[in-house]
Amino acid sequence: MKNLVLRTITGVAFVAVMVAGILYSPLTLWALFLVIAVLTTWEFTGLVNTRPDVQVNRVVTTTAAALLFLGVSAMQTDILQARMLIVPWLLSMVFIMVEELFLQREDPLSNWAYSMLAQIYVALPFALLTMFPSQTYVMAIFLFLWCNDTGAYCTGSLIGRHKLFPRISPGKTWEGSVGGAVLAIIAALIMAFYVDTTLAPWQWVAFALTVVVIGTLGDLVESLFKRKLGVKDSGNILPGHGGMLDRFDSSLMAIPAVMSLLFILAAL
């Protein structure tokens, strides 16, 4: 019971911070996801460093993640000086490569690979959120993810029988996935008719299904990542809910997928 209360309090606070940060202003959205990108990258590098053959420079890699976020965000402006913020990130990538020449670590290839993965897999998706044309779209991504998680949990608990991916995540079922998708589609139709009419109803449904399908795959990818590292949770920064990667695993793949969808819809 104590754990349930803790999970509930943490969950409510998490949702409140996310909604307020995303919708209050573009500046709060920017600040919120800069912090999230930094914390998630720090957590990711700490996890990979538990491998005996890996020694990623956590400080430089996390700093690079922040610089990437700032650089991508600044590229949305017309100010040349702001766009030049991408230069420090490029230099940090050079530093990460060159430092292995001097440190004589056991496996420099793994160190390079994990440092680059931290930029592409963790930091870049959060940076992409600053490129969305509307805060509503950003909010919709997380709304659909939350609907999918809630629908999948409730439906899977009640009628779940057929395992979705038992090798990686034994708790997920096909029935739960369908239930999550249905709830996300309902939320998408509400968005289409009552919140934002810039997208047609079928486009909002495509938006929701992209989030559900790719988000579920993103969750499985992170589960595989943790399984290979031999950990249950990616961290403990969120009491009762694990770490930052545990909370944002689905979004890391859903964000670039949705951006790709919006590009396609705009071209039609």
Side-chain angles (χ1 to χ4, degrees):
M1 179 60 71
K2 182 179 179 181
N3 187 54
L4 178 60
V5 172
L6 183 63
R7 284 180 58 86
T8 301
I9 294 173
T10 303
V12 170
F14 174 80
V15 171
V17 170
M18 289 291 293
V19 172
I22 292 170
L23 297 181
Y24 185 75
S25 74
L27 181 60
T28 58
L29 184 150
W30 177 90
L32 172 67
F33 286 103
L34 173 60
V35 172
I36 290 172
V38 167
L39 292 176
T40 309
T41 304
W42 182 262
E43 183 179 273
F44 176 85
T45 52
L47 285 172
V48 298
N49 276 351
T50 60
R51 295 177 61 95
D53 58 335
V54 177
Q55 294 173 286
V56 171
N57 189 324
R58 296 183 74 186
V59 174
V60 175
T61 301
T62 304
T63 301
L67 292 171
L68 176 61
F69 186 97
L70 294 171
V72 172
S73 301
M75 290 178 71
Q76 307 313 302
T77 73
D78 293 326
I79 303 173
L80 178 61
Q81 291 86 344
R83 292 186 177 188
M84 291 298 289
L85 283 172
I86 201 68
V87 173
W89 175 75
L90 295 171
L91 294 176
S92 68
M93 291 294 96
V94 172
F95 179 86
I96 287 172
M97 301 293 287
V98 171
E99 71 169 341
E100 295 294 338
L101 293 175
F102 301 95
L103 295 180
Q104 299 181 1
R105 289 167 172 163
E106 180 180 353
D107 190 352
L109 291 179
S110 293
N111 297 335
W112 287 330
Y114 282 118
S115 293
M116 298 304 173
L117 186 60
Q119 308 303 307
I120 297 170
Y121 172 58
V122 180
L124 182 58
F126 293 127
L128 292 178
L129 289 174
T130 65
M131 299 177 65
F132 277 80
S134 168
Q135 293 160 254
T136 303
Y137 294 160
V138 177
M139 188 69 255
I141 292 174
F142 292 96
L143 174 63
F144 297 154
L145 287 173
W146 295 337
C147 286
N148 182 45
D149 289 344
T150 302
Y153 176 79
C154 294
T155 307
S157 299
L158 291 173
I159 60 173
R161 296 293 183 273
H162 302 87
K163 301 299 182 181
L164 177 64
F165 222 112
R167 182 174 65 88
I168 304 300
S169 185
K172 295 185 182 299
T173 63
W174 282 101
E175 292 85 355
S177 296
V178 172
V182 169
L183 188 58
I185 289 172
I186 292 172
L189 292 174
I190 293 173
M191 292 287 293
F193 290 109
Y194 299 105
V195 179
D196 189 309
T197 58
T198 55
L199 295 180
W202 73 267
Q203 293 174 323
W204 271 112
V205 170
F207 190 132
L209 288 177
T210 299
V211 170
V212 168
V213 174
I214 306 302
T216 299
L217 293 174
D219 189 358
L220 291 169
V221 166
E222 199 248 354
S223 294
L224 177 60
F225 172 69
K226 290 190 297 184
R227 183 177 290 270
K228 291 301 180 182
L229 291 176
V231 297
K232 181 179 183 295
D233 294 323
S234 64
N236 55 13
I237 193 172
L238 298 170
H241 288 264
M244 299 298 288
L245 281 171
D246 294 320
R247 290 303 91 206
F248 291 98
D249 52 1
S250 300
S251 65
L252 293 177
M253 289 178 56
I255 291 166
V258 169
M259 175 159 282
S260 300
L261 173 68
L262 291 177
F263 283 144
I264 293 170
L265 292 178
L268 295 178

